[in-house]
């Protein structure tokens, strides 16, 4: 009986070991497949002979990280990708890059040559996002930025995802290019392209006056407000703002107000100008609606009227009694 139990125990332990080995083999196999795909997209300099890898799982999605470097760690290349080898982050560093323009020699590479180099790099690094002309990452030329440093001119080339000519929120990429003398070197790139996006087609009202519909739901008003100049002197300013300081979104299909998901985005914020967009998720005083609700439940807080009366009673503030309280 003891021998039978011992055999069963050994068998159970063996199955556990085989299971772990199978998982490890599966992970290694998937990582190898991803690595082979990455190496088709990335040119690894021959001097980067050291290699390391890791993986992590977040939100049920696995990410592989591959790193190459030379033996002295003076140059390195790091790439992150998913199981299908789709790259989300690229970083290339070598010390000589930061001494490449010693003597303050200006780069002879033009902006158009830099953009061309970035476009070619994106086409190779992210081929899944550049094929065709219906759903692609497109260079956002209007927001390109550049600065001059010891290493030459550094360009940040932004890209945004365009679906049927329309921008897709949250799907962007940025490529950092060093223009050094007569050469270009890509040092960084990252991409937040969501390959799993399921687009929903919604009927759009062809003869729909969106401006009038929006103004009807969220009217504007012309009001006088008190302001101060740079010397602290008060003056009166005439501004447009949303009535009751409220702005929102309407549906292009129905014209009715809709709630926009602001989890990873911005919301319209009614301030002094109707065109003042996108503060962050917090309301004007820096607290979320949930935090404000909780604070109102805390015993001992003064009421809005009590606070207003207390503020008006501070003579040093010299608040005009004819002014109305807009927000509290």
């Amino acid at each position: 009986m003891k021998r039978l139990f011992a055999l069963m125990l050994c068998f159970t332990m063996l199955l556990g070991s085989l299971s772990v080995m199978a998982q490890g083999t599966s992970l290694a196999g998937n990582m190898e497949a991803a690595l082979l795909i990455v190496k088709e997209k990335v040119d690894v300099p021959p001097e980067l002979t050291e290699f390391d890898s890791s993986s992590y799982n977040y939100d049920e999605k696995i990410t592989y990280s591959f790193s190459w470097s030379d033996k002295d760690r003076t140059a390195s290349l790091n790439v992150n990708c998913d199981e299908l080898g789709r790259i989300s982050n690229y970083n290339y560093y070598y010390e000589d890059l930061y001494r490449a323009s010693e003597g303050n020699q200006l780069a002879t590479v033009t902006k158009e040559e830099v953009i061309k180099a970035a476009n070619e790099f994106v086409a190779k690094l992210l081929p899944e996002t550049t094929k065709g002309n219906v759903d692609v990452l497109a260079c956002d030329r209007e927001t390109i930025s550049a600065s001059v440093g010891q290493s030459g001119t550094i360009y940040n080339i932004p890209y945004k995802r365009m679906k049927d000519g329309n921008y897709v929120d949250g799907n962007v990429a940025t490529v950092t290019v060093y223009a050094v003398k007569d050469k270009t070197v890509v040092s960084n790139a990252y991409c937040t392209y969501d390959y799993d996006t399921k687009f929903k087609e919604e009927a759009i009202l062809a003869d729909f006056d969106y401006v009038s519909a929006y103004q009807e739901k969220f009217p504007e008003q012309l009001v006088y407000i008190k302001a101060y100049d740079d010397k602290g002197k008060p003056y009166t300013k005439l501004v447009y703002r949303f009535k009751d300081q409220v702005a929102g979104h309407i549906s292009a299909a129905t014209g009715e107000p809709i709630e926009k998901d602001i989890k990873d985005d911005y919301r319209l914020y009614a301030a002094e100008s109707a065109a003042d967009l996108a503060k962050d998720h917090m309301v004007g005083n820096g607290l979320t609606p949930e935090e404000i609700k909780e604070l109102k439940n805390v015993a001992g807080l003064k009421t809005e009227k009590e606070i207003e009366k207390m503020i008006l009673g501070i003579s040093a503030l010299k608040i005009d009694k004819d002014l109305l309280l807009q927000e509290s």
Side-chain angles (χ1 to χ4, degrees):
M1 186 68 180
K2 290 183 179 179
R3 179 177 296 179
L4 178 60
F5 178 75
L7 288 173
M8 292 177 63
L9 182 60
C10 290
F11 182 69
T12 302
M13 294 175 65
L14 179 61
L15 284 178
S17 300
L18 290 175
S19 175
V20 172
M21 291 174 60
Q23 291 179 13
T25 302
S26 176
L27 177 62
N30 293 339
M31 180 179 285
E32 180 182 357
L35 177 59
L36 291 173
I37 295 173
V38 165
K39 294 196 69 174
E40 291 179 357
K41 303 175 179 179
V42 174
D43 295 324
V44 181
E47 63 271 18
L48 303 185
T49 56
E50 307 298 305
F51 176 70
D52 193 12
S53 67
S54 62
S55 65
Y56 63 90
N57 197 310
Y58 176 74
D59 198 20
E60 298 184 354
K61 294 182 179 179
I62 194 165
T63 296
Y64 297 122
S65 179
F66 302 121
S67 301
W68 295 265
S69 65
D70 60 4
K71 292 184 178 180
D72 297 328
R73 302 288 178 176
T74 59
S76 63
L77 172 63
N78 302 287
V79 176
N80 289 353
C81 70
D82 65 10
E83 287 185 287
L84 299 179
R86 298 178 298 203
I87 295 173
S88 57
N89 192 66
Y90 171 97
N91 178 269
Y92 178 47
Y93 164 83
Y94 63 98
E95 285 187 353
D96 289 343
L97 174 63
Y98 299 97
R99 295 193 292 266
S101 289
E102 288 183 345
N104 296 322
Q105 296 183 19
L106 294 177
T108 59
V109 182
T110 66
K111 177 180 177 181
E112 291 303 317
E113 290 174 326
V114 171
I115 295 175
K116 182 175 182 292
N119 288 341
E120 291 174 351
F121 182 83
V122 170
K124 184 175 182 181
L125 191 76
L126 309 167
E128 306 89 352
T129 70
T130 57
K131 294 180 180 178
N133 55 10
V134 176
D135 186 6
V136 296
L137 275 177
C139 179
D140 186 4
R141 300 176 67 96
E142 294 182 358
T143 58
I144 293 175
S145 62
S147 61
V148 179
Q150 293 182 347
S151 305
T153 305
I154 307 169
Y155 288 86
N156 286 309
I157 314 295
Y159 293 79
K160 56 185 179 181
R161 184 179 184 178
M162 304 298 293
K163 173 73 166 63
D164 298 325
N166 301 299
Y167 172 60
V168 181
D169 287 345
N171 287 242
V172 297
T174 296
V175 177
T176 301
V177 182
Y178 280 72
V180 181
K181 297 180 181 178
D182 60 346
K183 298 179 180 179
T184 58
V185 179
V186 175
S187 64
N188 293 281
Y190 78 88
C191 176
T192 60
Y193 197 99
D194 186 355
Y195 298 94
D196 299 324
T197 301
K198 304 296 182 184
F199 292 98
K200 298 178 181 179
E201 297 302 327
E202 185 180 56
I204 303 297
L205 300 180
D207 300 324
F208 186 46
D209 186 350
Y210 301 104
V211 175
S212 297
Y214 189 85
Q215 290 178 343
E216 178 182 352
K217 302 298 181 183
F218 306 103
E220 294 176 354
Q221 59 182 185
L222 187 61
V223 297
Y224 287 99
I225 65 171
K226 184 177 181 179
Y228 293 89
D229 61 19
D230 57 354
K231 299 185 182 301
K233 184 178 179 181
Y235 69 96
T236 301
K237 184 163 62 171
L238 187 62
V239 298
Y240 280 101
R241 70 178 184 190
F242 289 114
K243 187 177 181 181
D244 301 323
Q245 300 280 55
V246 175
H249 300 80
I250 63 171
S251 168
T254 65
E256 294 301 315
I258 58 175
E259 289 294 327
K260 181 173 174 60
D261 183 6
I262 61 171
K263 180 180 179 182
D264 299 309
D265 204 354
Y266 295 100
R267 67 164 21 161
L268 289 173
Y269 181 79
E272 291 184 358
S273 168
D276 183 10
L277 300 179
K279 299 296 181 185
D280 95 25
H281 306 165
M282 301 298 185
V283 233
N285 59 357
L287 298 175
T288 65
E290 291 76 14
E291 291 168 337
I292 293 174
K293 182 179 179 181
E294 176 60 22
L295 287 175
K296 286 185 176 180
N297 291 331
V298 177
L301 290 180
K302 293 182 179 296
T303 65
E304 294 176 357
K305 291 294 183 182
E306 290 173 330
I307 293 294
E308 182 182 5
K309 183 178 179 180
M310 181 178 67
I311 293 175
L312 291 175
I314 303 176
S315 58
L317 295 178
K318 297 181 181 180
I319 299 177
D320 193 330
K321 294 181 179 180
D322 294 330
L323 292 178
L324 297 177
L325 180 64
Q326 293 182 343
E327 291 180 298
S328 62

